[in-house]
Structure formats: C-alpha cells, structure tokens
Amino acid sequence: MAADKTLLSGSTTMLILKLLEDKDMYGYQMIEELSKKSNDTFNLKAGTLYPLLHSLEQQGMVISYDDNVDSARIRKYYSITKKGRGLLADKKAEWQTYFTAVNRVLKGGANLAASY
Amino acid sequence: MQHHIKVKQYLETICSQIRCKKIHGDIREEIENHIVDQKEAFKAQGFNDETATLKALEQMGDPIIIGTELDRTHRPKPEWSVITLTILLLAAGTVIRFFTSPQDFNGIELFNKQLFFTIAGIVLMALFYYMDFTILGKYPKTIFLLLAAVTIFLTIVSNPINGKYVYASYLLLLFPISFAGFVYNMRNRGYIGVVFCGIFFAVSFMISMIIPSVSSCILLVLSCLAVLTIAILKGWFSVKKLYALLLVYLPVIGSLTMIFASGILSKRIALALNPSIDPSGAGYIGTITRRLLSGAQFIGQGNLPQNFQGLSAAQVLPGINSDFLLTYIIHRFGWLTFVIVLTLLTVFIVRAIILCLKQKSVLALLVSTAVTLTFIIQTILYIAANLGFQLFAPLSLPLVSQGSSYLLINMCLIGILLSVFRTGYFIKDKQTSIKASTNSFLKFEDGKLIIDFNIH
C-alpha cells in the first residue's frame, strides 16, 4: 500500500481517531490525553484540532453530541463511528507501511546498501 | 476584567472568518469551553487569572487561521444534483408542451403564459433558496395562521369552479411544511404535544374540506402522518414510542374504517377499477384514457379507438396539457416519452429522499420530508389518474404539466428543499432537553420546585 502524501496531517487524524476508539472525548481532553500518552511529544494546537474534528464529522467519521458528564458545563463530545473505525484501520496500515520502509532505509536495507 | 474582553475578541476574530453564520454559536461555545479548560489548567499550575487566560489564548493558535480553516469546512454547499434535476424537469415540461399546446384550445396562449411563469418560478425558487428556512420552526403559529387566513380569504373572494375553490386549493400544498414547523416546536411536550399536533392537523384538514379537494386532503393526511411518525420515532416528544404511535394511528384507522363502512368510497373504487361500467357518465375519462393507452405504441403515434374515428385525441380527452398530459403524450408520441418523464421524476424523488435521510437536525429532516412527500404524492396521484385509475383527481405533475399556480407553489417548495439541503447541516435543534434544563434557575423535579442560586 502506497503511503499518502498528506501523511503528516493524516497521522494527526489517525491519532485522534485512536483516542476516540477507547472512549468519547471533548476537544480539550483529546489534547491532554495525546500529550500525556506521547510523553509531551505531541502538543496539538486547538487551531489544528477543531477544523480537523469538524471535517471528520462532516465526512461521517465521528459524530458529536452535547453532554455534561462530569462538569456543570455542557461540552461537545465526539464519538467515533463505524466508518471512522474503518478509516483508522486504513491509516494504521498506511502508517505501518511507511514506518517499515523508513526503518529499512535507516538500517541500510540490503539492496540500498549495495548501491552505495 | 480585561482578559475576558480578550477572550471575546479572540472568539469574534475566529467567527469573523466563518461566512456561515448559523454555525457561529456552536463554534463559539466549543472554543470558549476549550479556553476555559486550558485556563483552569494553567491556574492549577499556579498562574493568576489574567496570566492563565493570556497563556491559554497563546496556546490556542492564530484565530485568523483557525477561522479560515473552519470556514473551509463549514461552507454551505448548493445541492447541484437537485438543481440540475429541477431544470431538466422544467425543460422536459416546456419541450413536451411546445409540441402538445397547438393541439389544445387556447394552447399557444397558455404555453406562452406558462413560459413566463416558469421564469417567475425560478426567481421564486431562488428567493426561497436564500431565505432562512428555520423561520418555519421559529414562527410556526404565525405562519400557519397567515396561511390559513389567506386560504380562507381566497374561498371568500373567488368563485368556485366546478364546485371547488381552485385558487385556495393550491395553497393546501404548503400546509405540510407548516405542520412540520409545528411538530418541531412540540419537543419534549409529551403525549399532550402529540395531541396538539393532532389538533393542528384537524384544523388544516377542515380547511381542506371547505375547498373541497379530496386529492389535497389525501396529500395532507399522508404527508402530515409521515412527518408525525418520523418525529415520534426520533423520540421527539419524549414519550413511549409505541403509545404515541397508537395515539396517532388508532384515530386514523378508526376514521378510515368509518369511511369504508359508510360506502361513500365503494362506488368510486368500483368505477376507478372498471370505468367502463359507466362509459359515458362518471367513467367517461377513465374509459377514454384506458382506450387511448391500449392503442399506444412504444414510439410514435398510437391508434384511436374505433368509435372515435375522425376525431383527434385532443378532442376526446380533456386537459391534454394539464390533467392528462401524460396520457396524451403516451398516445401521441409513444410510451418512451412516459419512460423519460418517469425516470426524471424518480431520480429527483430518490435523490431527495437520500438527502432527507442525511439530515441531522430534526427541523431540517421534518421540513425536507414534508416537501419531498408533497412531491411524491402529487406524482403518484397524477400518474395513477393518467394510467386510467381515477380514484382521485390529479393535482399536477410537478414542474411538467400545465398550471401556473401549481408550478409556482412547487417552485417555492423546491426552493425551501434546496435551502434545507444547503444549510440544514449547520442547524442545531433548540436545546430544550432535560439535560440542558438542569442548568436553569428554576426547575421542577419530583413535585418540588427548586430554585437554584448557583447559576452563573
């Protein structure tokens, strides 16, 4: 499988969908979780997150609903759809291909080493 | 307090970049929540209120860029498929009538008139397209009272034609969307809400009986019933769905049983099924349409029945451009023309249904369903009558058959439908749910009135 050109922005999509795979979350929570799970490596800006979430919602990958689970404020929660899970699986596979390829190059893959 | 203004300014800047105003409130709320969360986190780290706010805003990123990005996502998209199909149907109607009009009495004059009204209809459609359809949900009572008043006024000032107030009857096609707006306003109103919808419907029904137009009645009953059923199934009234459905359908089934038992319909059904039992009386048109169809070819002019030799079909069939356009073109040009028109209408209807089902907001769903059903029922009644089954008189073949008033009304409806498909995605149903109301100052729970002073 060929890797998408928009791999970097695609990986953000993948990370967000991955977070939502476990439980429904609101925007701020996603940024916090991502930062925590990646040991502060991924510091996603709200300005990147919301446009991405809204377009994922339009494509039917996630749905949103208002709720006030553990706070007085009503928050907009996002929940992954079946279609979204499908996209996540695709993105994961794509990432794996890319990751493997990069690794092979970095380790000086057999064919590549010979040509130097 | 200055940092509060900063937050407000930040939100304003984002929204100023987003052209679709309907989504502003939603986005503002979500982003503001985010800023507050971020601020609280900074405060927990020991920063004071002002610094925390400023740091939170800095963390958010450039508001112009966020706004531009969100604008790209939330741009209203015109539904080109439905616009194209509307134009194709109008064109098909014009071409067909161009060939059939010269055969009709006053035909060319009527053709020119219809051409003028086609253009007027397109203007009207554009007007409704850009109008905000949510007013149907905001002022349902005003809209209904206005519609009812104009309809009744027309029955007073106009003279009945063949015992029917024709001008008033056109307006009946607008009642289903007004009903949709009313149902939308009955959210969480319980069984009493369902009853109110029933009363609203009953008043509309009685107005349609003044006209009287049986076909419009059928259209009203079926579309309102469908709209109400969808609302119940969506849990709109917050009641047990089964009981609510029984509350609606038991009276409907009861009335139908009474109508059938009274025998008013039995003669009509017998005649519709077999018009030849009274070929020169009430079954005349039924007999003629069937004979014309039985002599039709797939392509080309069909044969006239034996006893009409020497006459043309236009002389024996009334309304070859209006009520019986389809029968006439099948006879005159062959079944192929029928297949073409039917295909266009079917594609239009199927596309409209698919788009209705995609609507997220209940108001958009109910309004688009009401319009689509008005179309479907007109089409079915018309085709049935034109194929020789005349239980109910045809209203119009939407956008195709002659009739300037029906054309204008149908163009208004399509304008509203396109407006729903263009902006329906951004509509958010009013939050009057139980969850949202827990934030109110006054609430009523378990028979106790609770006054909450803890509201900010």
Side-chain angles (χ1 to χ4, degrees):
Chain A
M1 192 200 222
D4 200 305
K5 270 184 194 158
T6 56
L7 197 85
L8 281 178
S9 73
S11 71
T12 313
T13 307
M14 177 176 73
L15 293 175
I16 290 172
L17 289 174
K18 178 64 196 161
L19 287 178
L20 292 176
E21 200 184 24
D22 301 331
K23 65 172 182 184
D24 297 355
M25 287 186 196
Y26 53 92
Y28 180 74
Q29 202 180 0
M30 288 179 213
I31 291 180
E32 286 289 284
E33 283 281 324
L34 197 59
S35 167
K36 206 160 62 186
K37 283 191 175 161
S38 68
N39 283 330
D40 293 333
T41 307
F42 296 128
N43 186 9
L44 191 58
K45 288 254 186 213
T48 317
L49 176 69
Y50 288 105
L52 196 58
L53 277 175
H54 288 199
S55 72
L56 280 174
E57 190 181 9
Q58 271 191 0
Q59 294 158 21
M61 302 299 173
V62 300
I63 50 164
S64 70
Y65 60 93
D66 288 343
D67 213 333
N68 51 350
V69 180
D70 43 26
S71 119
R73 271 181 293 138
I74 295 178
R75 286 201 177 95
K76 194 170 166 191
Y77 281 81
Y78 291 87
S79 171
I80 191 167
T81 62
K82 209 177 150 195
K83 206 173 156 191
R85 285 179 200 275
L87 180 70
L88 176 59
D90 288 351
K91 291 272 177 207
K92 270 191 200 163
E94 196 178 279
W95 181 259
Q96 208 59 52
T97 312
Y98 181 78
F99 182 75
T100 320
V102 169
N103 255 351
R104 198 174 288 164
V105 174
L106 289 179
K107 284 176 186 158
N111 296 337
L112 225 77
S115 67
Y116 278 114
Chain B
M1 282 316 268
Q2 202 169 3
H3 51 276
H4 281 301
I5 299 166
K6 280 240 164 70
V7 173
K8 232 183 133 188
Q9 272 172 351
Y10 186 86
L11 295 170
E12 285 302 326
T13 317
I14 291 182
C15 286
S16 70
Q17 300 302 311
I18 305 168
R19 275 166 283 183
C20 177
K21 290 207 169 55
K22 288 199 177 79
I23 198 91
H24 280 190
D26 209 13
I27 287 177
R28 202 184 297 256
E29 199 180 333
E30 190 176 28
I31 304 280
E32 192 176 1
N33 261 328
H34 188 106
I35 297 174
V36 174
D37 279 330
Q38 184 74 68
K39 189 180 89 178
E40 295 301 322
F42 280 126
K43 273 167 85 175
Q45 285 173 27
F47 292 99
N48 69 22
D49 207 46
E50 183 156 2
T51 323
T53 309
L54 294 178
K55 278 183 80 74
L57 286 179
E58 202 182 284
Q59 187 74 23
M60 295 296 292
D62 187 343
I64 300 274
I65 295 174
I66 303 179
T68 319
E69 287 284 324
L70 286 169
D71 178 58
R72 195 169 301 149
T73 314
H74 297 289
R75 202 166 289 168
K77 294 175 195 77
E79 195 43 60
W80 288 110
S81 60
V82 178
I83 296 174
T84 312
L85 284 162
T86 306
I87 290 167
L88 282 177
L89 278 167
L90 285 173
T94 310
V95 170
I96 290 168
R97 278 179 283 101
F98 178 76
F99 288 107
T100 58
S101 292
Q103 318 299 321
D104 205 1
F105 176 68
N106 267 352
I108 295 169
E109 198 183 306
L110 287 174
F111 176 79
N112 291 333
K113 188 180 155 201
Q114 185 83 355
L115 211 54
F116 168 75
F117 277 104
T118 303
I119 295 160
I122 292 172
V123 174
L124 210 57
M125 178 181 88
L127 224 68
F128 277 86
Y129 176 56
Y130 286 110
M131 206 187 70
D132 179 11
F133 79 92
T134 55
I135 58 162
L136 287 167
K138 276 181 204 141
Y139 314 105
K141 284 174 204 145
T142 319
I143 289 172
F144 176 71
L145 286 177
L146 219 71
L147 196 56
V150 175
T151 311
I152 293 168
F153 177 73
L154 282 175
T155 64
I156 296 167
V157 295
S158 69
N159 292 317
I161 301 169
N162 296 330
K164 184 176 142 188
Y165 293 100
V166 182
Y167 287 106
S169 76
Y170 301 127
L171 291 177
L172 291 178
L173 295 193
L174 297 177
F175 278 72
I177 50 166
S178 144
F179 182 73
F182 184 80
V183 172
Y184 171 73
N185 270 272
M186 291 293 121
R187 185 177 198 176
N188 294 331
R189 295 290 283 274
Y191 294 106
I192 197 79
V194 182
V195 173
F196 276 138
C197 291
I199 294 171
F200 185 99
F201 166 75
V203 176
S204 317
F205 186 80
M206 279 192 279
I207 294 172
S208 79
M209 295 305 280
I210 304 174
I211 310 281
S213 163
V214 179
S215 301
S216 303
C217 267
I218 307 275
L219 189 143
L220 198 65
V221 172
L222 292 180
S223 39
C224 292
L225 209 53
V227 165
L228 194 54
T229 307
I230 291 173
I232 291 172
L233 292 179
K234 281 259 162 193
W236 196 242
F237 298 97
S238 304
V239 291
K240 281 224 169 63
K241 289 172 190 172
L242 179 67
Y243 293 159
L245 286 175
L246 286 175
L247 186 61
V248 173
Y249 280 90
L250 284 180
V252 172
I253 293 167
S255 318
L256 279 178
T257 318
M258 263 162 60
I259 292 169
F260 276 109
S262 72
I264 308 169
L265 275 179
S266 55
K267 203 181 152 201
R268 230 175 140 144
I269 292 173
L271 203 64
L273 289 173
N274 184 14
S276 59
I277 50 176
D278 189 7
S280 52
Y284 172 74
I285 296 176
T287 313
I288 292 282
T289 46
R290 286 179 185 211
R291 286 200 187 156
L292 284 174
L293 294 178
S294 67
Q297 312 273 344
F298 184 66
I299 299 174
Q301 168 108 41
N303 303 317
L304 267 183
Q306 287 253 300
N307 45 340
F308 294 127
Q309 293 302 339
L311 293 169
S312 74
Q315 286 168 304
V316 294
L317 183 71
I320 62 161
N321 276 306
S322 51
D323 285 355
F324 292 97
L325 178 81
L326 272 185
T327 315
Y328 183 71
I329 61 167
I330 293 168
H331 160 76
R332 183 70 186 73
F333 305 109
W335 282 99
L336 183 64
T337 46
F338 173 75
V339 173
I340 294 171
V341 174
L342 189 67
T343 308
L344 276 178
L345 280 164
T346 311
V347 175
F348 183 100
I349 288 168
V350 169
R351 182 74 193 141
I353 293 175
I354 292 172
L355 291 169
C356 284
L357 294 176
K358 278 192 180 166
Q359 295 307 313
K360 260 175 62 187
S361 107
V362 169
L363 181 63
L365 171 70
L366 295 182
V367 171
S368 57
T369 306
V371 175
T372 308
L373 276 165
T374 309
F375 249 75
I376 295 174
I377 296 163
Q378 280 184 84
T379 307
I380 291 174
L381 286 174
Y382 192 92
I383 290 176
N386 275 256
L387 292 183
F389 183 76
Q390 282 140 17
L391 185 57
F392 305 111
L395 295 167
S396 86
L397 188 61
L399 312 184
V400 177
S401 70
Q402 181 103 52
S404 43
S405 308
Y406 275 127
L407 178 68
L408 291 183
I409 296 278
N410 278 322
M411 289 301 274
C412 289
L413 288 173
I414 293 179
I416 293 171
L417 188 68
L418 285 170
S419 160
V420 175
F421 291 159
R422 188 174 82 106
T423 59
Y425 184 84
F426 310 118
I427 309 295
K428 219 172 162 206
D429 290 322
K430 273 187 299 186
Q431 273 292 344
T432 49
S433 68
I434 299 145
K435 243 173 202 155
S437 68
T438 50
N439 267 342
S440 62
F441 173 68
L442 274 178
K443 56 189 168 185
F444 196 69
E445 254 171 35
D446 303 329
K448 283 179 287 191
L449 182 67
I450 301 165
I451 302 172
D452 189 352
F453 291 102
N454 233 343
I455 300 284
H456 331 283

